[in-house]
Amino acid sequence: MSNSLTHQIISDIFIAARTIHKKFEDSHRKPYPLLYYIILRYINEKSYISMKNIADFLSITPPSATSIINRLIKLNLLKRQNNPKDRRIIKIVVTSKGKKVLENEMKKVSRHLKEIFSQLNQKEQKQLVKILTKIGK
């Protein structure tokens, strides 16, 4: 891949991300920072999650992850669960309130993405999904 193509891809990714982010910010005020929704979604998709997994996902240190998770626990969006077989193992799970908050936010995100990506025809939308899936692996 040439340098000019690489630079164009980088530029286009930043512009698209900024456009999507601005659309969400303009359309509604979230009660929580975007990072909280990202964390809730990540944890909700996993059957078992440790603080180290969360730190690795966010590319931050475990103490920084603990600080963020503690804030989500204080908001009753997450909770810690002890493993009955080994009390040293602590699982982080989404509370029912967290699931409801996440579900409501995902409905809003879905509506906004449909609007944003309505500029693409069906074939282009399928190509985008295929590309994003391939890059995400």
Side-chain angles (χ1 to χ4, degrees), residues 62-74:
S64 295
T66 299
S67 175
I68 295 169
I69 295 305
N70 285 341
R71 281 183 252 151
L72 289 163
I73 289 170
K74 284 181 184 175

Side-chain angles (χ1 to χ4, degrees), residues 2 8 14 17 21 27 37 41 47 60 81 85 89-90 95 99 102 105 108-109 114 128 130:
S2 70
Q8 183 64 48
F14 285 149
H21 183 75
S27 63
Y37 297 108
R41 182 170 169 92
S47 60
I60 59 176
Q81 271 185 348
K85 295 180 183 177
I89 299 173
I90 297 173
T95 63
K99 288 181 187 227
L102 182 60
E105 186 62 19
K108 291 176 189 175
V109 167
K114 283 179 184 175
L128 177 62
K130 186 176 178 179

Side-chain angles (χ1 to χ4, degrees), residues 71-87:
R71 281 183 252 151
L72 289 163
I73 289 170
K74 284 181 184 175
L75 292 167
N76 194 30
L77 299 174
L78 294 177
K79 66 181 176 180
R80 287 183 175 90
Q81 271 185 348
N82 290 332
N83 183 324
K85 295 180 183 177
D86 187 347
R87 292 188 50 90

Side-chain angles (χ1 to χ4, degrees), residues 31-131:
Y32 307 108
L34 178 61
L35 178 63
Y36 288 11
Y37 297 108
I38 292 168
I39 293 169
L40 285 174
R41 182 170 169 92
Y42 176 71
I43 293 171
N44 196 52
E45 290 176 347
K46 306 293 179 185
S47 60
Y48 172 79
I49 193 83
S50 69
M51 201 61 73
K52 178 161 179 14
N53 297 130
I54 296 166
D56 289 346
F57 171 73
L58 297 172
S59 299
I60 59 176
T61 64
S64 295
T66 299
S67 175
I68 295 169
I69 295 305
N70 285 341
R71 281 183 252 151
L72 289 163
I73 289 170
K74 284 181 184 175
L75 292 167
N76 194 30
L77 299 174
L78 294 177
K79 66 181 176 180
R80 287 183 175 90
Q81 271 185 348
N82 290 332
N83 183 324
K85 295 180 183 177
D86 187 347
R87 292 188 50 90
R88 296 171 296 172
I89 299 173
I90 297 173
K91 181 179 173 181
I92 308 296
V93 296
V94 180
T95 63
S96 57
K97 177 184 175 184
K99 288 181 187 227
K100 187 173 183 172
V101 164
L102 182 60
E103 183 181 326
N104 289 337
E105 186 62 19
M106 292 310 297
K107 286 178 184 177
K108 291 176 189 175
V109 167
S110 181
R111 279 195 313 269
H112 295 303
L113 286 178
K114 283 179 184 175
E115 183 181 324
I116 289 167
F117 293 119
S118 67
Q119 300 171 54
L120 305 175
N121 64 38
Q122 188 107 21
K123 183 179 176 184
E124 291 168 329
Q125 290 174 13
K126 287 179 181 180
Q127 288 173 328
L128 177 62
V129 168
K130 186 176 178 179
I131 290 167

